[in-house]
Amino acid sequence: MSDKDEVNEETQRLNPLMVAARAKAEDAKAKAREAIPPELRETPRAPEVVEAKAKEIRPEPETAEEEKPAEPDAEASEADGSRSKSEREKDATEEKEADGRPAEREEERPLGERVVAWAKRNVDHLIGSGLGALYVGWLLATARTLGFSRDEGFYFSASSQYEKWFQLLFSTPGKALERAAIDPIWTANHEHPSLMKSLFALSHMFLWNKWKLVQDQSTAFRLPGMLMMGLAIWITYLFAARVYSRRAGIAAAIALGLMPRVFYHAHLACFDVPIMAMWIACVYAYWRAEKIGGLGPALLAGVVFGLTLETKHNAWMLPGVFVPHAILVHGRSMMSDAAKTARLPIPASLVAMATIGPAVFLLLWPWLWNDTLPRIQEYVNFHLHHEYYNIEFLGRTYFGPPSPKSYMPVMIAATVPTTTLLLFAIGAFDRLRVVGARAIGWLGETLGRAWPKPSGQDPLHTDALLLLALAVPLAVFLLPRTPIFGGTKHWITAYPALAIFAGRGFDLVADRIEALLKSRTSLDETKRRWALAIAGAITFVAPFAVTRHSHPFGLSAYVPFFGGTAGGADLGLNRQFWGFTTQSLNDWFSKNTKPGDTVYIMDTAWPSWHRMVDEKRIPQWLRGVGSPAEATISLVHHEQHMNEVDYNIWTEYGTTAPEFVLTHDGVPIISVYRRPQDGRRGPR
Amino acid sequence: MPLVSIVELALHAKQTNDIVPEADWAAARNIVKADLRPDDLVVFAPFWADPLGRRTFGDSIATPKRAGRSDERRFARAWEVSIRGAHDEALAGWKKVDERKAGAVTVTLWENPDHTKVIDDLVDLVTPERLSVSRVDDHGEQPCPFQRGRTAGGTTVVPQGLLTPADKFVCNGGHVGVAVLHALDHRPHLCIYATPIQGATLRLRFSDVTFGASLHGHSGIQWLVERKPTPEKVSVSFSAFGHTLGTHFHKVGVGWVGFELPTNDIEGKKGELTVDIAPSSQRQFCFEATTRHASSSATGGGR
C-alpha cells in the first residue's frame, strides 16, 4: 500500500451505517481534548502524509482553524512550490514567536496581550473580514447612485410580503405556521428560494422599520446582498491564503472585488452575488471538512450546502464539483473498501450534503411546506423550461437554443479586467502543471511504468477542487441549450475560483519581481518590500479604475482591451438590461420636467420606479405611465431587441429626434423623447 | 504584470476621454445643413451612434424617411456622419465626393451611382384625400373609414409589437396607417402598416399616382415574427388601368425585402393604383412602394 493509500484509509469517510458509532467516538475524543488546556494541545499542522494518520488526536476543526491560520496547508503547498518565499519566512517567524512563549494560562495574561494573541491566531479572518467590510463600505457609499433593476423591483415586492409573515411569526407564531398564512404570502415570487428574500425582508423589518439604521428602504433591502459580497471577499481571501499564501489571498480578494460586473451585481437585492458567495463558501466548507475530518465539519458542510440550495438554483450544480473531487481523493480507497466490505464508503461531507442540504432547503422555504412534492416539481420545471429572453451578442440578438459557444469566453474576456485575466492565466497554468504532473504520475503507476511522480503531493487535490469550482459553472455555458440571457451573472459563481488562481498568479509574479530586486538592485529588505507593495498596487490600479468608472453603468462597461464601452457597442455586445439606468436621468428630469409630466418608464419595473420616486432618486412630481401614448416624455433603454420601442415612439410622437440621450463614455444608454407641442401626428 | 496594468490604465484613460463632444456633432450638422438637398440621405455611423445624430441634427434633417429609409437607391447623395472611423456598408460602391472634419466627427458626402429617382411614394399618399381602403369578401366590398384616434400598443414589457398608428383606416378585422417597423434587420423602416384580414382581402386604392419605369417596394413583418421562419406567405398584388402589374409574396422569415415590378408600358401615365393584400394570419405586415423613373438592374434589397 502506498503512502497515498494510507492517507486515504485514514481520511474521514462516512459509511451510513457507521455514522452513529463514529460520531460517538468523535464526541468522546473531543471531550478528552477539551480536558487538555489549549496551550498544551498539539499544534495543528498541515494534513500531510504522515500527519493525516494522526488525525484522531487533533483538536476539533474550529479550534484548529483558529489556532494556526494559513498554516495547515503549508507543507503540501511548499512541496509543490505554491507558497511564496516571503510567506514561508513570515510563517516561520510567527511559529517561532508562538513556540518561544512560556506556557501560561490564557486568563492569566493581561487583556491587551490576550487581544494581540487572539488577533494573531485569527489574523486571516481579520484580513479577510476586513477586506470584505471595506468592500461593503464601498458598496454602501455608491448604492444611492445606482437605480433599481427590474428584478430588484420584484424582490422588493416579494420581500415586503415575506416581511408581513415574519411579523406574524414574531407576534403569533402559531398563526404564522398555518397554511392560510403561509400560502398567500409565500406564493409571491416562488420561482426562487426564500433565503435571500427572507434576509431582505428581515433587514428591512429591523434596519429600516424598527431601528431606522439605514438611510433608504432600498438600502435595507440591498444590505444582505452586499454583506454576501463581503462574505465572498472574505472566503476568497481565506481560501487562497490557506492554499497558497496570504499575499495570494489578498490579491485574490482584490481581483474579485475589482470586476465591473461583480461590483454592479454586488449592490443589488438579487441572488447572483449571494449565490457566488455561497458557492465558494460551500466549496470551502467541503474542503475544510475533507481536510480536518470529523463529523462537525461534515455537518457544517451539509448545512452550508442547504443554505446554498436555498440561495439560488445554481447550487444544484455543486455535486458536479464535489463528486468528481471525492472520487479523485477517495476513489481508490473507496474501491478497496467496497471490495472488502461490499459497502461503498462515502465521504461524510457528501452524505451530509445529500441529507442535511435538502432538509435545510425545505425547512427554510415555507412555500414548500404545503403540497411539497408538486411545488418542488413546479420549481424544477420552471428552471428546466425557463423562457429564453433576448440578449445581443456580436450584433445578433439570441432568443433560444442553440446558444453560441463563444458567448461565455468572449464575455469573460470582455468584462473581466485583462490584468486580472492574465494573473489568472499565470496562476491557472501553474496549478494545471501540478495537476498534470500528478495525473502523469498516476497514469504511470496505473500502467506499471516508472514515470516520474511529483513529490509531496497535496492529498486533498485542492488545485483540482478549485479547477472544478471554476469549470463546472462555466462548462454549462458550452452546452447548446443553456440560455445566455443573464450575461455574465449566470456564471458569476466561477469568479471566486478565477480570482483565487489570479491570486496565485500574482504570487508567482511577485516572487519573480522579488528575486529580480534582490539580484539586480542594492535595495535593502525594507525598500524591496516597499517596491513590491508599489508593484502590487500598480497591478490593481487598472482594475480599480475600470471598476470605479463603470459605476453606475456596470452592465454597459467593457474592458479597455475591448475598447471600453464604445468598443463593446462597436462589437455589438449587450449594453444593459433590467432598466435600472432610469435613475441616471435624475439630473435631466430635475432640470427639464415639471409637475404633471408623465413618463413612459419602458423597461423599468413598476416597483423599481415607485421606489425611486419614493426615495427621491428622481423628481417626485413625475408620474410614470405604461405607454408612449399616455406620456409626455418617453424613454428607450438601448438594447437591440428594444429598438422597436424607439421606432414606436417615432410613430407616436411623429419625431425621430430624442431631446436628450444619456450616455456612458459617449455611448447611448437611454434616449429621452418629448411629445412635440405642434400637434403633429404620425411619423411623416 | 504591473506593465500590463499600466497599459490597461492608459487605454482606459484614452477611451474615457475620447468622447465626441456635442459641439462636434453640432458642427457636423451645420456642414450638412448648408448643402442638404431633399433627396439626400443622412446616415450616422456606427449605427449605435444614430440616437446621438438624431438628437443633434433634429427631425428636420433626420426625417423619418431618412432615418427609417426603405433603401438607399432612392437617394441621389448621402451624407455620412461618422465617428470612430466607422463606415456604413450600405454605401459601399458609392463615389466619395467630399470629406470634412468637425472635430471628432467626419462628414463624408457620397454620390449614388445607382440612383433611381422616386416619383410618388405611397407612404405619402396614406391620407383620406389620396387613399381609400376597403374590405373585400364574399359579401362584397365594405369601405374602411379613416379615423383620427390614438395609438394602440406600447407597454413596459417587450417585445410589444408594431404600434398601431393614431391616424388610420379602420376595417372590420384590420387597419391601414403609417408606422415605423422594427424589422428583422433591427433597423427602422417607414412603411404602411396594413393588417391582412383573415377571410377577406384588404384593398387599398391610391388615386392620381404617376407611374414611372418601375414600381419599387419593400415589405416586412415585425421582427419577432420573422425570426421564426414559416412557409406562410403574405401576397400583395398591384394593379393599375385594369391590369395586374405583378404580385409580391412575402415569405415569413425573409425580413425586410425588396421587390420591383416593371411598369414601362404605363410610364408617364397618371391613374389609380390598387393594392390587394390577400387573407393572412400575419397581422404585423408592413410594406412600402414607390414609383420610380429608371429601372435598375437588380432589386433593391433591405440593408
Side-chain angles (χ1 to χ4, degrees), chain B residues 196-200 232-235 277-283:
Chain B
I197 304 170
Q198 295 213 44
E232 198 180 350
K233 290 173 184 170
V234 177
S235 158
I277 301 173
S280 167
S281 62
Q282 291 306 327
R283 305 283 297 162

Side-chain angles (χ1 to χ4, degrees), chain A residues 201-237:
Chain A
L202 290 167
S203 172
H204 184 259
M205 195 166 125
F206 288 104
L207 299 185
W208 169 258
N209 274 338
K210 203 168 177 183
W211 301 327
K212 302 279 180 204
L213 284 177
V214 288
Q215 188 189 358
D216 300 316
Q217 294 197 53
S218 61
T219 307
F221 282 126
R222 281 174 162 181
L223 189 63
M226 296 180 187
L227 291 173
M228 279 293 195
M229 183 63 206
L231 178 72
I233 296 259
W234 184 348
I235 293 176
T236 299
Y237 163 79

Side-chain angles (χ1 to χ4, degrees), chain A residues 566-635:
Chain A
D570 282 341
L571 287 168
L573 299 175
N574 173 264
R575 213 169 301 164
Q576 64 186 318
F577 52 83
W578 277 346
F580 65 95
T581 45
T582 301
Q583 190 193 304
S584 300
L585 289 171
N586 180 43
D587 278 352
W588 187 87
F589 279 146
S590 302
K591 290 173 192 156
N592 297 281
T593 62
K594 59 183 188 312
D597 277 345
T598 47
V599 179
Y600 165 55
I601 63 173
M602 220 226 118
D603 200 32
T604 310
W606 282 109
S608 305
W609 171 266
H610 291 316
R611 182 116 310 283
M612 283 191 273
V613 172
D614 188 53
E615 295 183 5
K616 298 179 185 166
R617 289 162 176 258
I618 48 175
Q620 291 193 304
W621 61 69
L622 293 175
R623 188 164 66 84
V625 292
S627 75
E630 304 166 79
T632 49
I633 289 160
S634 286
L635 313 183

Side-chain angles (χ1 to χ4, degrees), chain A residues 390 399 418-419 538-539 549 560 570 600 602 626-627 629 643-644 647-648 651-652 655-656 673 680-681 683-684, chain B residues 5 8 15-16 48 54 59 62 64 84 123 126 149 151 154-156 159-161 163 167 180 182 186 222 227:
Chain A
N390 295 291
F399 62 96
T418 309
T419 308
I538 291 171
T539 301
H549 180 76
D570 282 341
Y600 165 55
M602 220 226 118
S627 75
N643 287 0
E644 67 173 5
Y647 311 152
N648 280 346
T651 301
E652 172 62 38
T655 180
T656 62
Y673 290 87
R680 71 180 75 174
R681 299 176 71 86
R684 286 177 294 183
Chain B
S5 181
E8 192 167 25
Q15 287 155 8
T16 51
W48 60 256
R54 285 185 274 113
D59 55 11
R84 300 169 60 80
V123 168
V126 182
T151 55
T155 65
T156 54
Q160 44 190 237
L163 193 77
D167 296 349
V180 183
H182 175 182
H186 297 292
Q222 199 247 357
R227 70 183 187 179

Side-chain angles (χ1 to χ4, degrees), chain A residues 41 60 80 153 191 208 263 285 301 312 328 396 403 460 463 466 508 511-512 569 641 672 678:
Chain A
R41 288 177 203 163
E60 277 296 278
D80 59 26
E191 56 266 33
W208 169 258
F263 184 60
K312 204 181 173 190
L328 190 65
R396 180 178 159 189
S403 301
L460 295 177
D463 291 320
L466 284 169
L508 293 170
D511 270 352
R512 183 87 183 117
H641 72 281
V672 184
D678 58 8

Side-chain angles (χ1 to χ4, degrees), chain B residues 189-208:
Chain B
H189 297 293
L190 185 69
C191 53
I192 301 169
Y193 180 11
T195 52
I197 304 170
Q198 295 213 44
T201 296
L202 181 66
R203 178 165 293 163
L204 289 74
R205 286 198 182 90
F206 294 92
S207 62
D208 296 330

